[in-house]
Amino acid sequence: MTTLPGVTAAERRSRLVRRHLLTAATRAASAQEVAHALTGLHATDPATVFLAAAARMRAPTVAAVDAALYDLPAGPGTEPDLARVRCMRRTMFVVPAPLARAVWHATAKSNDPHRADATAKLRETLGWDERRYADVERALLDALAVRGEATAAELAADVPDLREQFVVNPGKPYASRQRASAPVLGVLAAEGQVRRSRPAGSWTSAQFRWAPARPLPPLPAAEARAELARRYLAAFGPVTVDDLKWWTGWTLTATRAALAAVAAQAVEIDEGTGHVLPDDVDPLPATAPEAALLPGLDPTAMGWRHRDWYLDPAHTPELFDRNGNIGPTVWWDGRVIGAWSQAPDGHVRHHLLTDPGREARAAVEEAVGRLTAFLDGTRVTPCYRTPLERRLSDGRSR
């Protein structure tokens, strides 16, 4: 009987803090480096991108993260260093621009409906025939090419059909009216024909401008999945098959094929069999304990399906909403030990769910100071509110 190499929970936490840049010694110089280290940053909540990068940068500023997201490098036909892509589990991520091709072909195309199905459903909702829909799309792209970048409202001014309204979730208590511009732009963005540019408001705003995008070159799906699996294992390994399947949204067959394609090495972990890259079996040197304040939907907190080795299951009801989205968290030595929020006046409040000791409490206060300096008076309300975050915001911890 073959005995697999073992990776303890303590070793996994050591890998986590080192590879996810959660120590002073490993912090990055730029948001681009942060996204590269983590494969990508969750971007459903625009503030998460800034806060996740800031927690891992040596000298974070809003301007530096903004430049990585939106500034165009010199040269014709360039794109920003970071790309906002609808990909893993059909959610928004910000990924290094060179990785966008593999990420999109590995996930978005396989998870999203085929274009014919997506547009047919949208046409039915809008009451448009195929010709009208195609004409509106073409007019939108032409208007965007002329403007260079524009808000949805500006494009709707150029293309009157985009102002047409329809009911979202008809018959439901949460039904609402929406302009046609939103879903039409959503389809074009999912296809990589347009991209989100700078928000119309502050860095916390979800109201983006839009700009033309360069189509991503073709890449066979199996090759793309292998590349994404390789990047995920490098940042998050060891992982279980279930972790990779959940994180990507792949089928079990595709997940196993991707692991085989990168010759993943099986190891023994508390959850059973884990997988690492072939040259990543040996333990990493231990790191000194450090604290970090990470935002809601942070890629570290959301990086694994099985989380008991870094998060006490008893704390899950306090830290997650009903749909499985994690709120802002406090970390010490590779474990989640509490949550943080902001008071109405912007003051950062935190509550520890376990007593980590004097050294940890002092380190958490230092992390609060770093976050406060980065926020510089900006108040951030998470996109997904969790029980403990809400109570902290209201001035209650219990």
Side-chain angles (χ1 to χ4, degrees):
M1 181 176 180
T2 303
T3 301
L4 296 177
V7 180
T8 67
E11 288 174 2
R12 295 184 75 185
R13 291 191 291 271
S14 181
R15 288 168 179 254
L16 182 155
V17 297
R18 181 184 296 274
R19 290 179 172 170
H20 290 209
L21 314 180
L22 298 182
T23 72
T26 58
R27 286 179 194 144
S30 67
Q32 294 94 320
E33 290 179 28
V34 174
H36 179 85
L38 292 159
T39 305
L41 306 177
H42 277 264
T44 302
D45 187 339
T48 292
V49 178
F50 285 80
L51 295 174
R56 298 168 170 90
M57 292 170 63
R58 290 193 289 273
T61 65
V62 169
V65 182
D66 180 273
L69 285 166
Y70 305 118
D71 282 0
L72 299 179
T78 58
E79 299 276 349
D81 290 336
L82 297 177
R84 196 178 297 265
V85 181
R86 188 179 300 278
C87 48
M88 280 73 80
R89 303 187 309 282
R90 297 175 63 185
T91 57
M92 294 300 300
F93 275 74
V94 163
V95 302
L99 185 61
R101 176 189 181 209
V103 166
W104 191 72
H105 285 286
T107 59
K109 288 188 69 177
S110 60
N111 287 341
D112 284 343
H114 293 299
R115 173 177 173 80
D117 295 337
T119 56
K121 184 176 180 180
L122 180 53
R123 290 198 311 270
E124 181 181 351
T125 300
L126 296 171
W128 295 357
D129 60 26
E130 188 171 353
R131 179 175 180 179
R132 183 182 179 189
Y133 185 89
D135 288 345
V136 171
E137 262 196 345
R138 186 162 46 251
L140 184 158
L141 292 171
D142 289 346
L144 193 56
V146 171
R147 285 183 176 269
E149 67 173 35
T151 64
E154 289 170 338
L155 291 169
D158 293 340
V159 184
D161 284 342
L162 293 174
R163 299 199 293 268
E164 190 166 311
Q165 295 190 347
F166 65 99
V167 178
V168 182
N169 301 309
K172 304 290 186 181
Y174 45 87
S176 62
R177 298 190 69 81
Q178 187 179 84
R179 279 187 170 187
S181 55
V184 173
L185 281 165
V187 170
L188 290 171
E191 294 174 344
Q193 295 194 63
V194 301
R195 62 176 174 83
R196 290 166 175 81
S197 187
R198 274 192 172 86
S202 73
W203 58 272
T204 65
S205 172
Q207 299 299 316
F208 290 95
R209 296 179 176 88
W210 296 87
R214 288 190 303 168
L216 294 167
L219 184 67
E223 183 179 339
R225 287 194 291 266
E227 175 60 20
L228 184 56
R230 184 180 297 108
R231 294 293 297 266
Y232 175 67
L233 262 66
F236 293 84
V239 301
T240 65
V241 171
D242 198 28
D243 289 328
L244 178 57
K245 177 179 179 294
W246 172 82
W247 188 79
T248 56
W250 293 338
T251 65
L252 181 58
T253 298
T255 302
R256 288 174 172 164
L259 288 170
V262 299
Q265 166 73 54
V267 295
E268 187 71 26
I269 57 177
D270 288 348
E271 291 80 4
T273 301
H275 299 272
V276 295
L277 292 176
D279 58 353
D280 193 29
V281 177
D282 295 335
L284 298 179
T287 56
E290 295 200 35
L293 267 61
L294 301 183
L297 295 179
D298 186 85
T300 298
M302 295 291 290
W304 294 266
R305 177 69 179 86
H306 300 290
R307 306 180 174 116
D308 292 4
W309 57 278
Y310 66 89
L311 192 156
D312 186 337
H315 298 157
T316 296
E318 293 278 52
L319 300 174
F320 288 78
D321 72 5
R322 293 180 179 178
N323 295 317
N325 301 302
I326 198 166
T329 48
V330 179
W331 291 67
W332 169 251
D333 198 20
R335 295 179 187 269
V336 178
I337 61 169
W340 65 271
S341 185
Q342 282 181 281
D345 65 358
H347 177 72
V348 176
R349 295 168 170 162
H350 70 277
H351 176 78
L352 304 183
L353 293 165
T354 185
D355 184 1
R358 181 182 302 175
E359 179 186 2
R361 291 195 299 271
V364 170
E365 292 294 344
E366 182 180 348
V368 168
R370 290 187 76 242
L371 175 60
T372 300
F374 175 78
L375 290 169
D376 192 25
T378 299
R379 186 167 188 268
V380 176
T381 301
C383 183
Y384 301 106
R385 310 295 300 275
T386 57
L388 183 49
E389 185 276 325
R390 284 183 181 275
R391 293 200 302 274
L392 285 170
S393 179
D394 294 340
R396 300 173 290 121
S397 61
R398 289 292 179 188

